[in-house]
């Protein structure tokens, strides 16, 4: 219940601020458009890891979390050597 009231208050406050900004002559629509464009630019697709690569990274991470740095680093070096 408190969360709903807080959300309603936030939305009302946002509407008031937008109205005041428009009345003061600020280009609110342009700022909103830039914000929307920025949100769209931040979302991008990245290629999925192959299962073998994921398993090797997981194994290296397991070693590193266990503070067996040499073993984890060795796996990463092997992966780098296989890369090219």
């Amino acid at each position: 219940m408190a969360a709903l009231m807080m959300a309603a208050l936030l939305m009302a406050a946002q509407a008031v601020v937008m109205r005041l900004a428009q009345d003061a002559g600020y280009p609110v629509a342009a700022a909103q458009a830039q914000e929307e464009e920025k949100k769209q630019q931040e979302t991008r697709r990245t290629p999925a890891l192959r299962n073998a690569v994921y398993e090797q990274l997981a194994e290296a991470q397991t070693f590193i979390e266990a503070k067996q740095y040499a073993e984890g680093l060795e796996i990463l070096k092997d992966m780098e050597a296989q890369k090219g």
Side-chain angles (χ1 to χ4, degrees):
M1 184 72 169
L4 277 169
M5 291 179 77
M6 191 68 120
L9 285 172
L10 180 61
M11 289 176 60
Q14 187 177 24
V16 169
V17 168
M18 294 293 286
R19 180 63 183 211
L20 291 172
Q22 287 174 338
D23 290 346
Y26 288 104
V28 175
Q32 285 178 329
Q34 286 177 347
E35 190 67 29
E36 286 296 319
E37 183 179 322
K38 183 178 178 185
K39 286 180 184 177
Q40 290 176 356
Q41 288 176 351
E42 290 174 1
T43 303
R44 66 178 190 175
R45 295 194 139 208
T46 56
L49 290 175
R50 292 186 181 174
N51 193 42
V53 173
Y54 176 81
E55 288 175 0
Q56 288 176 312
L57 286 172
E59 185 180 8
Q61 181 178 2
T62 302
F63 279 121
I64 291 169
E65 287 174 352
K67 299 186 188 225
Q68 296 176 335
Y69 302 114
E71 291 86 348
L73 183 59
E74 187 63 34
I75 291 171
L76 296 174
K77 285 182 179 180
D78 288 344
M79 289 177 69
E80 187 177 32
Q82 292 172 3
K83 173 180 84 170

